[in-house]
Amino acid sequence: IMEIKNPYLTELNKIGKSEIGYISFLQGKSDEIPFEIKRVFWTYFTPESVIRGGHAHKTTIQAIIAVSGTIIFDIQGQKEYKEIFTLDSPNKLLIIPTLYWSDIKFSHNAVLLCLASEDYDELEYIRDYNEFKNLAL
């Protein structure tokens, strides 16, 4: 796994034309995904009034695509890092390294697809914001 210093947004290739539609893809080891994918999950039917996320990960790196709709990530680091990323096209890919706090807002009918570097483990989640901010760097 390569070291990722900060979250970043990248664009995936898209093939096609506006008249017939597009396809974007990821395969095996790629330049876009800086880790081996161990878990894939998606969220959907999230009401626009709900803020999801509200956590950071100790060991998991995530690659996220809004396959439908618009998803806004408000991301904070342990120091002064703060950035907002808008996923509003299915060929945008957001990479979130470990130890970044995310709050997530969904548009109506948005679908979030997450490719994760680790299997699910509740113990590696940090769900308390104060604990997150007080972690030793």
Side-chain angles (χ1 to χ4, degrees):
I1 294 176
M2 68 179 254
E3 184 181 345
I4 306 163
K5 295 206 182 315
N6 290 318
Y8 64 90
L9 195 61
T10 187
E11 286 200 13
L12 301 172
N13 289 327
K14 70 179 183 180
I15 301 167
K17 299 178 183 170
S18 59
E19 306 84 46
I20 60 169
Y22 297 94
I23 181 173
S24 291
F25 60 90
L26 293 165
Q27 53 191 17
K29 289 195 172 199
S30 68
D31 291 338
E32 293 88 6
I33 305 293
F35 55 83
E36 178 186 345
I37 299 166
K38 292 191 178 174
R39 179 169 57 119
V40 177
F41 66 89
W42 48 97
T43 63
Y44 50 94
F45 297 153
T46 303
E48 289 186 51
S49 60
V50 171
I51 304 292
R52 290 197 57 144
H55 64 268
H57 291 276
K58 296 175 188 171
T59 57
T60 299
I61 304 168
Q62 296 181 314
I64 297 173
I65 300 168
V67 292
S68 178
T70 298
I71 304 172
I72 299 170
F73 279 78
D74 185 345
I75 298 181
Q76 296 181 44
Q78 291 178 292
K79 293 186 178 178
E80 299 301 312
Y81 180 93
K82 184 170 173 53
E83 193 161 353
I84 294 176
F85 294 93
T86 301
L87 298 177
D88 55 5
S89 174
N91 72 314
K92 288 185 177 180
L93 176 71
L94 175 61
I95 303 292
I96 305 176
T98 60
L99 298 177
Y100 280 87
W101 186 271
S102 297
D103 290 314
I104 311 166
K105 180 124 178 73
F106 293 75
S107 71
H108 180 68
N109 285 339
V111 177
L112 178 154
L113 176 69
C114 180
L115 312 172
S117 67
E118 305 298 326
D119 292 332
Y120 176 79
D121 178 1
E122 179 59 33
L123 296 177
E124 73 92 25
Y125 281 70
I126 305 166
R127 296 190 184 275
D128 180 276
Y129 184 76
N130 289 326
E131 176 188 342
F132 165 73
K133 288 307 268 186
N134 292 324
L135 279 176
L137 297 176

